[in-house]
């Protein structure tokens, strides 16, 4: 691989162990105090930012944001998480912890380091279990059912502060001594810290170097020395003058979500768990009745040969969806692994170029031979391919119903929205058959009918695509034990049926399943996996199917953004979450998290580059994209 080719993998830290304490070989410094690293973290960062007391005053629906330079072993994060559990409010509120690490520890080194602190073992085991693959960029991880959100940026610190959208309440300035790691302490980094701070923001750092104190003071922080930890005489603390010292105190306004597919239900549940009042509206009698109503669906993306923003968005969505769906493993999520089959010459060539130009950790994907593919899937394959060990399949319809069952979600079904109109600073949702609804903000998650509901003029570049899946009974197919993808996907048998599909019918609006579409699915399936079907020619039993209409966009990228008019002006209180196409089960969790961040005024989980990929303005036919985004 040449040096100018972007690789998703990031270089891991090289650690040596001296008297049981980890040291960075690159920076020649310890990760924490040899005396008592946990006590040091609590004194330097928690106590000197006044966190236990400040945590207790975060209001309902509010949040508190800690930003850190240098994640290291995660000890500071675990100490803050433990303090949030002990001192945080009992009502719905969120702790956000944002941290940057250029040379992240491997999972093995992380585990060994945190073994030193038995009192943190319950929290440490969760961090280790959810620790992301060593891939550059943003990783959002949820703990305690979303009460704690960790945003890890693997990469350079200046890039991180440019890419991320947040305002901190407190800073942990860590990351090895300035003499050992000068790039972490550049004046540009100090300026970025100020830009990401609000009035009343505090900071603490173990260092007492005069250059650091002067640089922070020049940006507006009131800086002073205080007693250091242990044998260290001094350390620095600072505060921006004026303003509140707690997290966002704005009361979150009500949100109406139009559409109860996987996107709408994930967003509704996400907001409700943050304390935001939600009304979930749908024309169907229950959640998960539209395109998300299939019995089975694969969590699948096709990663590009070039590691660009589009590929990074797909990869981020894939990894985040796997973390989110793990909570439903005993019910609706089946992590069987997934094989992306090199089913013809063109796909085999594409996969080879992909592997040559990229370096992915094996926990994300790795190549397999025909023999390995056959062993992993349990059925004969004609080729190898790419194996995604953490992927699998979902029961989307049942998951949607489960997600909608939350006391913070008001469910209004059999309500077909015919018009969305502004009304005295709020939005009115009208229907021909029921009384109007009123909400402060509206998110349109209505799939292929989205253009009919947009309350602004213009031509929009959305496409409706009919997709029919076919239901194969267990006696009709040699069932795999993992998902197989190619020109069609095939899922393992569940409750006597394996789902395969789906067709891609751009100009067919027939909502009823057809024999022709079933035949097309079976023909493509046999092209991908010859002899996968068991001969049923003498039974005369028809194959059942189901039709859903996917919504996609002109560039096949989703939309998750505040609605903008053709001139780029935001429409107050109106948001779009649609255009997910055939990859909705994979993209929806990450984009629901992103929109919930936005709607609740919390730090956003997408970098600015990736946010541009899902912007709404590009949906206007008159919009010309000159920014390359």
């Amino acid at each position: 691989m040449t040096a100018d080719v972007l690789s998703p993998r990031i270089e891991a830290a090289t650690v040596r162990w001296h008297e049981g304490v980890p040291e960075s070989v690159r920076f020649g410094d310890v990760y924490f105090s040899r005396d008592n690293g946990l006590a040091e973290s609590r004194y330097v960062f928690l106590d000197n930012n006044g966190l236990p007391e400040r945590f207790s005053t975060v209001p309902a629906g509010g949040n508190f944001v800690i930003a850190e330079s240098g994640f290291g072993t995660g000890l500071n994060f675990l100490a803050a998480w433990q303090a949030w559990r002990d001192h945080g409010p009992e009502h719905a509120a969120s702790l956000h912890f944002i941290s940057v690490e250029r040379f992240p520890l491997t999972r093995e080194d992380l585990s060994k380091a945190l073994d030193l602190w038995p009192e943190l073992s319950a929290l440490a085991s969760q961090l280790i279990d959810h620790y992301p693959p060593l891939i550059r960029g943003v990783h959002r991880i949820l703990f305690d059912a979303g009460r704690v959100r960790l945003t890890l940026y693997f990469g350079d610190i200046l890039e991180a502060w440019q890419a991320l959208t947040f305002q901190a309440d407190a800073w942990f300035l860590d990351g090895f001594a300035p003499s050992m790691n000068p790039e972490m302490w550049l004046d540009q980094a100090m300026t970025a810290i100020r830009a990401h701070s609000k009035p009343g923001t505090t900071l603490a750092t173990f260092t007492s170097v005069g250059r650091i104190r002067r640089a922070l003071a020049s940006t507006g922080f009131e800086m002073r020395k205080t007693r250091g930890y242990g044998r260290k005489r001094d350390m620095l603390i600072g505060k921006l003058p004026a303003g509140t010292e707690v997290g966002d105190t704005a009361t979150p306004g009500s949100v109406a979500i139009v559409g109860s597919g996987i996107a709408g239900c994930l967003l509704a549940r996400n907001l409700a768990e943050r304390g935001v009042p939600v009304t979930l509206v749908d024309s169907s009698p229950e959640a998960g009745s539209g395109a998300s109503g299939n019995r089975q669906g694969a969590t699948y993306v096709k990663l590009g040969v070039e590691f660009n923003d589009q590929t990074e968005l797909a990869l981020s969505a894939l990894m985040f969806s796997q973390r989110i769906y793990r909570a439903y493993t005993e019910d609706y999520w089946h992590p069987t692994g997934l094989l992306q089959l090199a089913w013809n010459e063109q796909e085999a060539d594409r996969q080879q170029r992909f592997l040559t130009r990229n370096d992915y950790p094996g926990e994300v994907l790795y190549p397999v031979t025909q023999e390995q593919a056959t062993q992993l899937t349990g059925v004969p394959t004609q080729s190898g391919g790419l194996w995604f060990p953490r992927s699998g399949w979902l029961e989307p319809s049942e998951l949607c119903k489960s997600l909608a069952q939350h006391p913070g979600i008001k469910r209004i079904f059999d309500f077909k929205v015919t018009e969305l109109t502004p009304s005295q600073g709020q939005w009115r949702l009208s229907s021909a058959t029921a009384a109007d609804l009123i909400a402060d903000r509206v998110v349109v998650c209505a799939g292929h009918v989205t253009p009919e509901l947009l309350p602004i003029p213009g031509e929009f570049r959305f496409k409706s695509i009919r997709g029919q899946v076919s239901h194969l009974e267990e006696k009709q197919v040699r069932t795999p034990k993992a998902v197989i993808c190619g020109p069609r996907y095939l899922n393992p048998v569940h409750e006597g049926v394996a789902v395969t599909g789906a067709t891609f019918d751009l100009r067919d609006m027939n909502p009823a399943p057809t024999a022709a579409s079933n035949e097309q699915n079976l023909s493509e399936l046999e092209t991908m996996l010859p002899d996968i079907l068991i001969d049923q020619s003498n039974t005369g039993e028809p194959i059942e199917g189901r039709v859903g209409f996917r919504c996609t966009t002109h560039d096949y990228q989703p939309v998750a953004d505040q609605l903008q008019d053709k001139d780029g002006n935001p429409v107050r209180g109106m948001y779009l979450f649609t255009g997910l196409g055939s990859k909705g089960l994979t993209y929806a969790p990450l984009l629901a998290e992103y929109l919930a961040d936005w709607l609740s005024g919390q730090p956003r989980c997408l970098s600015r580059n990736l946010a541009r990929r899902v912007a709404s303005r590009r949906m206007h036919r008159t919009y010309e994209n000159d920014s390359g985004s």
Side-chain angles (χ1 to χ4, degrees):
M1 182 166 55
T2 60
D4 60 341
V5 175
L6 283 173
S7 165
R9 187 192 292 268
I10 192 166
E11 183 181 355
T14 303
V15 176
R16 63 170 170 250
W17 295 83
H18 181 64
E19 297 177 352
V21 175
E23 300 177 354
S24 168
V25 172
R26 176 179 295 272
F27 298 109
D29 201 358
V30 293
Y31 278 91
F32 43 71
S33 167
R34 294 188 184 280
D35 296 331
N36 189 325
L38 180 55
E40 178 189 42
S41 291
R42 287 170 174 158
Y43 174 76
V44 172
F45 298 115
L46 273 65
D47 294 347
N48 277 287
N49 275 297
L51 295 192
E53 298 80 12
R54 296 168 73 189
F55 283 170
S56 67
T57 63
V58 177
N63 64 99
F64 194 96
V65 181
I66 298 171
E68 176 188 56
S69 56
F71 186 72
T73 64
L75 184 60
N76 293 340
F77 165 65
L78 295 179
W81 180 7
Q82 185 184 60
W84 178 258
R85 279 188 164 187
D86 292 342
H87 304 283
E90 294 183 2
H91 50 247
S94 301
L95 172 66
H96 280 267
F97 195 99
I98 301 166
S99 188
V100 182
E101 182 57 64
R102 174 60 184 86
F103 300 98
L105 270 66
T106 64
R107 181 178 279 105
E108 292 72 26
D109 282 334
L110 185 75
S111 178
K112 185 175 179 180
L114 295 178
D115 278 346
L116 296 171
W117 317 110
E119 70 174 280
L120 296 177
S121 61
L123 305 184
S125 64
Q126 294 181 59
L127 173 61
I128 294 161
D129 191 37
H130 290 86
Y131 192 61
L134 299 192
I135 286 176
R136 65 179 72 247
V138 185
H139 302 269
R140 169 64 63 82
I141 310 167
L142 276 58
F143 300 100
D144 284 353
R147 280 181 56 83
V148 175
R149 283 175 155 84
L150 171 63
T151 304
L152 266 180
Y153 188 100
F154 287 161
D156 294 327
I157 192 161
L158 291 179
E159 291 178 0
W161 301 150
Q162 291 168 1
L164 297 172
T165 302
F166 70 93
Q167 294 294 111
D169 294 290
W171 284 90
F172 294 180
L173 300 187
D174 205 345
F176 303 121
S179 60
M180 303 290 186
N181 186 18
E183 290 188 9
M184 187 74 80
W185 304 91
L186 293 172
D187 286 352
Q188 298 98 304
M190 303 299 106
T191 301
I193 287 168
R194 173 62 183 88
H196 283 289
S197 301
K198 63 184 73 168
T201 293
T202 62
L203 63 83
T205 176
F206 61 88
T207 187
S208 60
V209 173
R211 179 181 67 81
I212 305 302
R213 177 180 57 78
R214 291 188 295 272
L216 287 165
S218 71
T219 69
F221 280 94
E222 297 175 344
M223 300 296 301
R224 65 182 178 90
K225 286 184 179 180
T226 191
R227 180 177 58 83
Y229 175 77
R231 289 170 289 182
K232 197 170 189 310
R233 186 176 63 181
D234 298 315
M235 58 171 279
L236 294 174
I237 58 175
K239 181 178 179 180
L240 278 179
T244 179
E245 297 183 19
V246 300
D248 181 14
T249 58
T251 301
S254 61
V255 176
I257 297 173
V258 181
S260 66
I262 192 68
C265 288
L266 280 165
L267 178 59
R269 185 60 171 255
N270 197 315
L271 287 169
E273 290 178 345
R274 300 188 199 215
V276 178
V278 179
T279 301
L280 185 62
V281 182
D282 201 292
S283 59
S284 298
E286 61 181 356
S289 297
S292 299
N294 288 338
R295 297 174 62 147
Q296 295 178 308
T299 56
Y300 168 67
V301 293
K302 198 165 188 177
L303 299 171
V305 171
E306 305 296 332
F307 190 72
N308 51 25
D309 289 344
Q310 181 171 329
T311 304
E312 185 177 355
L313 178 63
L315 176 62
S316 298
L318 178 67
M319 294 188 296
F320 186 79
S321 69
Q322 291 166 353
R323 288 195 291 270
I324 289 297
Y325 290 147
R326 280 179 63 178
Y328 304 98
T329 301
E330 299 300 322
D331 300 305
Y332 317 116
W333 168 235
H334 305 268
T336 58
L338 181 147
L339 176 67
Q340 183 181 321
L341 198 63
W343 63 281
N344 64 9
E345 184 176 338
Q346 291 78 15
E347 178 59 19
D349 176 69
R350 193 198 74 84
Q351 290 189 14
Q352 186 55 54
R353 288 184 286 114
F354 170 84
L355 293 167
T356 300
R357 295 181 66 83
N358 296 278
D359 181 19
Y360 282 81
E363 58 194 301
V364 177
L365 65 90
Y366 56 88
V368 293
T369 64
Q370 176 192 356
E371 182 179 2
Q372 291 169 324
T374 296
Q375 183 177 15
L376 287 166
T377 62
V379 297
T381 65
Q382 302 302 304
S383 69
L386 301 176
W387 177 250
F388 293 76
R390 295 184 173 183
S391 288
W393 64 274
L394 198 69
E395 299 176 57
S397 178
E398 295 305 310
L399 177 58
C400 286
K401 294 179 181 63
S402 176
L403 290 168
Q405 297 295 321
H406 186 281
I409 300 174
K410 182 179 181 181
R411 298 171 297 279
I412 299 181
F413 296 122
D414 293 314
F415 187 102
K416 180 176 174 57
V417 177
T418 55
E419 190 176 17
L420 298 170
T421 53
S423 175
Q424 300 180 336
Q426 296 178 302
W427 284 92
R428 183 179 300 275
L429 291 74
S430 300
S431 172
T433 58
D436 292 353
L437 304 175
I438 299 292
D440 295 314
R441 292 166 292 176
V442 174
V443 185
V444 180
C445 304
H448 71 290
V449 302
T450 294
E452 304 170 15
L453 298 176
L454 299 186
I456 57 175
E459 290 185 79
F460 302 98
R461 297 190 286 190
F462 291 106
K463 295 186 283 189
S464 177
I465 300 175
R466 178 184 182 272
Q468 180 173 322
V469 297
S470 300
H471 297 167
L472 299 175
E473 295 183 15
E474 192 167 5
K475 62 185 178 182
Q476 296 173 311
V477 62
R478 294 177 175 86
T479 179
K481 58 185 180 183
V483 181
I484 305 176
C485 293
R488 292 293 187 271
Y489 65 80
L490 177 64
N491 289 315
V493 165
H494 179 65
E495 295 181 349
V497 172
V499 175
T500 188
T503 60
F504 193 89
D505 308 320
L506 189 56
R507 295 176 179 84
D508 186 350
M509 297 302 292
N510 183 2
T514 66
S517 290
N518 281 333
E519 289 172 8
Q520 183 183 346
N521 280 335
L522 298 189
S523 175
E524 293 285 2
L525 181 59
E526 285 199 293
T527 298
M528 180 177 81
L529 294 167
D531 303 321
I532 193 69
L533 298 176
I534 299 171
D535 184 13
Q536 297 289 311
S537 57
N538 296 324
T539 67
E541 295 182 8
I543 292 175
E544 294 185 359
R546 184 182 186 277
V547 172
F549 288 90
R550 319 178 193 102
C551 178
T552 191
T553 64
H554 66 292
D555 57 5
Y556 296 99
Q557 293 292 280
V559 180
D561 190 20
Q562 187 170 9
L563 178 62
Q564 296 184 29
D565 64 22
K566 60 183 177 61
D567 298 319
N569 301 309
V571 179
R572 183 177 180 274
M574 179 64 58
Y575 298 79
L576 290 185
F577 187 9
T578 188
L580 280 67
S582 60
K583 306 298 189 296
L585 300 183
T586 308
Y587 278 96
L590 179 66
L591 298 183
E593 177 78 1
Y594 170 64
L595 274 179
D597 290 340
W598 192 336
L599 289 160
S600 59
Q602 299 182 26
R604 299 183 193 175
C605 64
L606 290 187
S607 68
R608 296 181 189 274
N609 278 354
L610 298 194
R612 284 195 287 270
R613 298 298 309 175
V614 297
S616 67
R617 190 183 174 195
R618 72 186 211 282
M619 291 299 97
H620 289 275
R621 196 171 296 279
T622 57
Y623 174 61
E624 293 295 334
N625 185 352
D626 297 323
S627 65
S629 64

